[in-house]
Amino acid sequence: MTQQSRRKFIKTTAAASTFMIAGTKVTGPVFGANDRVRICIAGIHGRGRAHMQNFGPMDGVEIAYLADPDSRLFDDRSKMVEDINGHKPKCVQDVRKALEDKDLDVLTIAAPNHWHSLLGIWGCQAGKDVYVEKPCSHNLYEGRKLVEAARRYDRVVQHGTQRRSSNEWDQMVQAAASGKYGKLTVSYGYASKPRGSIGFAEYKEPPKELDFDMWLGPAEKQAYHENLVHYNWHWFWDFGNGEIGNQGVHQMDVARWAVTAATGKVGPESVISMGGRYGYKDQGQTPNTQLTVYDFGDVKMIFEDYGLVNNEQKMVTNEFYTTDGVIKDGKFFAKGKSEGEPIEKFESTLHGGDIFHNFIDCVRNHTPQNLDADVLEGHLSALHCHLGNISYRLGDQAAFSSARLLLGRQRFLRGVREDEGPTLRGNRQGSLRDGLSTGTTPQVRREKRKDCRRRGRGWHACPTLSPGVPSSGNGLADWRISFSAVGGASLPRITRTGFAARCRSHGGMEDHNGTIHKRFGEPIHQEGG
């Protein structure tokens, strides 16, 4: 495949695939109770196994095809499907061969991120309903096009953010938005899992059983190495989106779910992200430590992930901070109280069953309006992950020792008190990452607290984002990078006591020249219209 942009690839292959699938159905039937739903699973290494395990046992569902460029997986996975589903699937390296089958009803997608949107669009064009894993896109443009395809071809397209079908999270989101526990001020998502070094894999010829050109698909042509196939592609920008676009999509989705429920807003006014790849030197490109702040006006959304944790330190959850306390773990903790009270029960907004059953129910009845995680919701949550990464990647590297000088010229970072909001949880091997917002000025002061003195250099900093152009509200608005001053707004105070010190105490931020670095992310603002 010659080098070309992803946008050009999607446009040209979409046109070609429309011709290729001419004659196949573009509007699916409403199934009878005894009709089989025949599906193809694209991407069968990791998450694809979960698709087999969840769709396979369902009554009236046949896993008819498995598609993956790596034919080494075929024997094991086809046996697995036969044991679970009672049918032996056809195995193909090119998913388009499955899409040509006019009797195929559903395409489920568990391929690498850079394939998600394109496969989803192909599925819609071929008249198939689609279940696409998170994130539904590798960039903003693709996600928008997938939503457009779902609407244009009248397809049922579910996004694999399973918490949308969880009664527990539905209840907590409703509690956070209800106002009964105070006004929501900060919606917080955590996705910190152990992510060790992937080392360095040498470039070599791909295995003969792997169609590596097909695996690359819309990505730029490049040499093969074993840190790409099958999992570590997550940490390379051409294929993945880092942890924020991996595990993080789930917690980002819940955090945004609460903000939208509380405010009616689908997108932020501005975004700032900060982080780095710390603790080791390896082939990976994406940050293993990242903090991102989204400004929704009166409500802020904060997302953090740290990969330098162990199993005891990992944290994957959401918390909702209000003017009266915090909602977490199904309870409300009033300010000043260490014991929580169970939140009251709200009327469910869900349609029944887990995310997989909900999808098949909607396929059978052709009721996309009953999806728990419609593709538009998936696009909006993926969009927030992409915006964080855009801010991060546009930022500049700076020695940590110069942070005070750099931040001293800014206004939006201010000292904070511990009792006025959530603690930004650090870990002993992570990093501090601060970014500069549009035209506002942060200040950082040393805090003479015992914790900071004991561990070394501690920083108290409160990133405050300036308001940008109001959201158009349609979820598909264009975004631009803005470098002009647009005024200031106050962020609810949040604590970072000793965060940098805890990180620094284990040398987690030092590069291999002994210099400690951080990246200053550029702010992102939404363009109206």
Side-chain angles (χ1 to χ4, degrees), residues 124 130 132 135-137 140 142-151 155-161 164 249 253 256-257 260 265-267 368-369 371-384 386 472-477 479:
C124 291
V130 174
V132 57
C136 64
S137 62
L140 302 180
E142 294 176 355
R144 186 182 301 118
K145 292 305 173 185
L146 177 56
V147 174
E148 290 175 2
R151 302 301 187 250
R155 303 318 317 149
V156 175
V157 183
Q158 179 94 294
H159 190 241
T161 38
R164 287 282 177 154
V249 187
D253 182 61
R256 189 192 65 78
W257 185 6
T260 300
K265 296 180 179 180
V266 298
Q369 68 274 13
L371 289 169
D372 286 338
D374 176 69
V375 64
L376 178 57
E377 295 297 330
H379 167 60
L380 292 171
S381 293
L383 175 149
H384 286 73
H386 299 324
S472 64
N474 63 7
L476 299 176
W479 290 78

Side-chain angles (χ1 to χ4, degrees), residues 42-88:
I44 60 175
H45 178 259
R47 188 63 187 163
R49 289 170 60 97
H51 288 209
M52 300 172 207
Q53 293 163 345
N54 282 275
F55 288 118
M58 292 185 192
D59 292 336
V61 172
E62 176 189 344
I63 300 177
Y65 289 89
L66 298 179
D68 198 290
D70 190 353
S71 63
R72 294 174 296 181
L73 301 171
F74 288 169
D75 288 344
D76 178 76
R77 299 304 191 268
S78 60
K79 183 180 184 305
M80 178 179 175
V81 168
E82 193 169 11
D83 291 343
I84 296 173
N85 191 237
H87 299 276
K88 186 169 180 141

